[in-house]
Amino acid sequence: MLKPEILDPQGQAVQRALPRLGFEGVSDVRQGKRFELEVEGPVDDAALARIREMAETFLANTVIEDFTVRTES
Amino acid sequence: MLKPEILDPQGQAVQRALPRLGFEGVSDVRQGKRFELEVEGPVDDAALARIREMAETFLANTVIEDFTVRTES
């Protein structure tokens, strides 16, 4: 997701459109990317470290984006 | 996220690039959108139903995308 201090025009466009569509009560909208990775083998600490490295160096632009790694089975 | 049966060229492009960057062991990559909404008032069942309605009618293209609603405080 874009870092909080980075302007998010897409998120703002969504937020402005919601009341026109009849949806009130949403004070902020942020839009970002989500990747789902299927990993071979156990998702142990070593695998998680590799995935964090993938996110840091390739999947996210860490100059303007924060990322979170979550595991789902 | 794109439904499983829908081709995901962006996800495939990422998956093909990973080995070239030295990242092995990722058997599939799916890419999608993520929205973070800040909601005024309690996130009760009524609010969640409204958010699902927003996702269904506006934030997701339910012809080709599935969506999940999660609450984070």
Side-chain angles (χ1 to χ4, degrees), chain B residues 27-66:
Chain B
S27 52
D28 190 37
V29 176
R30 307 282 295 174
Q31 178 171 339
K33 294 177 290 192
R34 172 186 166 90
F35 292 93
E36 287 181 2
L37 280 67
E38 221 164 277
V39 181
E40 293 150 12
V43 182
D44 52 19
D45 288 345
L48 277 175
R50 294 285 288 157
I51 290 164
R52 262 190 211 95
E53 197 187 338
M54 274 180 226
E56 199 125 37
T57 56
F58 179 53
L59 301 175
N61 173 351
T62 52
V63 173
I64 59 168
E65 292 174 331
D66 290 324

Side-chain angles (χ1 to χ4, degrees), chain A residues 1 21-23 25-32 34-40 50 54 58 70 72, chain B residues 1 21-23 25-32 34-40 50 54 58 70 72:
Chain A
M1 300 295 288
L21 295 166
F23 297 112
V26 176
S27 51
D28 189 37
V29 176
R30 307 283 296 177
Q31 179 171 342
R34 173 185 166 92
F35 291 95
E36 288 182 2
L37 280 66
E38 223 166 275
V39 180
E40 294 151 12
R50 293 288 287 159
M54 273 180 228
F58 179 53
R70 279 203 189 93
E72 292 178 14
Chain B
M1 301 293 289
L21 296 165
F23 298 112
V26 176
S27 52
D28 190 37
V29 176
R30 307 282 295 174
Q31 178 171 339
R34 172 186 166 90
F35 292 93
E36 287 181 2
L37 280 67
E38 221 164 277
V39 181
E40 293 150 12
R50 294 285 288 157
M54 274 180 226
F58 179 53
R70 279 204 190 95
E72 292 177 17

